[in-house]
Amino acid sequence: MRVLGISGSLRRDSHNTRLLRVAAQVMPPPHELELFDGLKEVPPYDADDDVDEAPEAAQRLRDAIADADAVLIATPEYNSSLPGQLKNAIDWASRPFPDNALRNKPVAVIGTSTGMFGAVWAQAEARKVLGATGARVVDVELPVPRAEAAFVGDRLADVELHDSLARIVDELVSAGMTAREPHELRAAA
């Protein structure tokens, strides 16, 4: 099973991208987490640009989501909400509605920020928006506060947070496997 990791941060040394790398480390074999690296290139959503075919970067995002069994989003928090580029990417992925790449796709949202609340509001906003797209949002959150001190090597410094991340990844993998079963049954018929 393949999980697509999307970091809502565009920074080169993003704490949220690092959080996804830690998630990849706790992904149970043989499952894998692949990081999406094209968020910065996705243009602002404009329905006029989405008539016959989407711009290449937006289509690449849609295809990556469609090809994944599940999606794990790690979001920072900007002005008590999710970053504009992440919201924009979700907007592109939500079209055409209702048959979009996110429809019935298991998605979990985690996040870290340099503040003491660990992007908890951004995670809630992302889950709300994803639910509106038709995604199967896994009801979990992982607020990782004080991101600059939250990591030690390739793991979270706080053992409880690290274990919580592993449980979230396991829950997302289970949701992805459950979502695959009807497709596999139809293919075998």
Side-chain angles (χ1 to χ4, degrees):
M1 190 183 96
R2 192 170 69 79
V3 175
L4 181 68
I6 300 174
S7 175
S9 175
L10 303 178
R11 282 187 336 106
R12 180 176 36 257
D13 296 322
S14 163
H15 299 300
N16 282 279
T17 302
R18 189 170 184 190
L19 184 58
L20 287 173
R21 287 190 179 108
V22 174
Q25 295 294 321
V26 298
M27 180 74 56
H31 312 296
E32 62 183 48
L33 187 140
E34 175 187 320
L35 288 175
F36 180 76
D37 65 353
L39 191 65
K40 193 172 193 171
E41 289 77 35
V42 177
Y45 183 79
D46 181 343
D48 291 339
D49 293 338
D50 194 22
V51 178
D52 294 324
E53 61 184 57
E56 185 178 335
Q59 190 59 50
R60 184 172 163 251
L61 170 70
R62 286 176 176 170
D63 291 345
I65 292 170
D67 292 345
D69 297 298
V71 177
L72 180 61
I73 294 175
T75 183
E77 189 165 284
Y78 298 163
N79 298 316
S80 302
S81 189
L82 67 159
Q85 189 66 1
L86 178 57
K87 171 64 167 71
N88 179 64
I90 295 170
D91 290 344
W92 273 108
S94 73
R95 303 290 187 265
F97 192 81
D99 301 320
N100 62 64
L102 287 165
R103 187 77 169 172
N104 292 318
K105 183 79 56 177
V107 181
V109 182
I110 58 177
T112 185
S113 68
T114 56
M116 56 191 276
F117 298 113
V120 70
W121 289 341
Q123 291 177 62
E125 289 290 316
R127 285 192 303 275
K128 178 179 84 173
V129 172
L130 288 160
T133 71
R136 288 188 23 214
V137 181
V138 179
D139 190 20
V140 295
E141 68 180 11
L142 183 76
V144 179
R146 297 179 180 89
E148 62 281 343
F151 300 92
V152 174
D154 62 351
R155 61 179 294 117
L156 288 166
D158 183 307
V159 173
E160 286 182 32
L161 281 175
H162 192 81
D163 291 346
S164 292
L165 177 60
R167 283 191 298 276
I168 288 168
V169 167
D170 285 344
E171 191 169 340
L172 182 59
V173 166
S174 287
M177 295 299 287
T178 301
R180 280 175 74 175
E181 288 171 6
H183 300 291
E184 290 172 354
L185 290 175
R186 279 194 298 266

